[in-house]
Amino acid sequence: MKMKLMTGVATLAMALVAPMALGQILNGSFEAGTGADADSWTRFGNAFREANTPNGSFARTGTHSMKQFGNFSGGFNVTGAFQNFAISTGETVSASVWAQTLAGDRMSGGNSALLKLVYFDANNVEVAFAESNRIDATTTPDTYIELTASLGPATSNVAYGQLLLLHLQPAVAGGSVFFDDVSLDVEAVPEPATLTVLGLAAAAALRKRRQK
Ligand SMILES: [Ca+2]
């Protein structure tokens, strides 16, 4: 009986520790969409779903990727695309995207491109954020590199998360970037308090059984 009880508690603890994949990013490879619109993504500025052409294969996988470049307004231009994802208190998130700049339209000046993760509260106010490594003027062209970012346990006031792919153009420098193969992983983090409660519950149950 004792063994059986302990096995039950262990199973419960494992269930709490096991990673949970919630709020996965949809259409991370940009294969689904109509023209410049990529399904599931909200775009702003100069962000376009791009099809491979007979003259060039820009996608890392499949036949489509997302191309971004500056707005050339003279001010600080931000172009991008984003998706929201579900996240609960105590969960952490890590994300990845592959990106490249082509030699023929290489990122220049102060331009850069990155992946950004943000936690928002119920009033759409930013609670926390994390930024990835970047594609910029120093990045080797014509080569897809991985950009990664992660954000720690969501506090109780976090309502949802957002993943953004961004192209930043501080001035009027040229250069575009192609994004492909976005992935996002949300994982539950066991809180020490939860495990302590489980431990106390198991001990109490054992005591109860011994008393019988
Ligand atoms: Ca693709």
Side-chain angles (χ1 to χ4, degrees):
M1 285 305 287
K2 190 175 170 184
M3 278 301 291
K4 198 171 183 181
L5 177 69
M6 289 311 289
T7 307
V9 171
T11 305
L12 183 56
M14 281 302 289
L16 287 171
V17 173
M20 289 194 289
L22 299 172
Q24 293 292 325
I25 291 296
L26 303 173
N27 196 25
S29 186
F30 307 104
E31 299 305 304
T34 306
D37 283 323
D39 289 358
S40 304
W41 290 95
T42 302
R43 304 179 290 125
F44 55 93
N46 286 323
F48 307 99
R49 174 175 173 262
E50 190 89 355
N52 287 347
T53 70
N55 298 323
S57 294
F58 312 118
R60 177 171 178 265
T61 59
T63 57
H64 290 77
S65 54
M66 173 163 280
K67 183 179 185 180
Q68 296 187 1
F69 51 92
N71 286 351
F72 297 93
S73 72
F76 193 108
N77 294 292
V78 181
T79 276
F82 67 90
Q83 282 189 38
N84 293 340
F85 58 88
I87 187 152
S88 302
T89 304
E91 291 179 337
T92 65
V93 60
S94 56
S96 157
V97 65
W98 291 81
Q100 74 167 341
T101 181
L102 299 180
D105 187 25
R106 191 173 177 180
M107 293 285 267
S108 62
N111 289 4
S112 65
L114 68 152
L115 179 157
K116 185 176 179 180
L117 292 169
V118 186
Y119 289 160
F120 285 100
D121 68 13
N123 296 314
N124 304 312
V125 175
E126 196 171 296
V127 175
F129 73 92
E131 296 181 346
S132 72
N133 44 321
R134 299 185 181 207
I135 298 276
D136 60 22
T138 68
T139 305
T140 303
D142 299 329
T143 306
Y144 265 103
I145 66 164
E146 188 176 25
L147 309 182
T148 61
S150 59
L151 206 43
T155 47
S156 60
N157 59 330
V158 172
Y160 65 96
Q162 190 172 85
L163 180 152
L164 302 102
L165 304 177
L166 299 171
H167 180 292
L168 308 181
Q169 184 190 40
V172 291
S176 61
V177 66
F178 292 81
F179 291 104
D180 206 355
D181 299 325
V182 183
S183 66
L184 177 120
D185 190 31
V186 174
E187 293 192 1
V189 173
E191 293 177 43
T194 307
L195 295 180
T196 302
V197 167
L198 278 174
L200 289 174
L206 278 175
R207 262 201 310 278
K208 211 169 181 181
R209 283 177 181 275
R210 280 184 186 140
Q211 283 166 0
K212 279 181 182 173

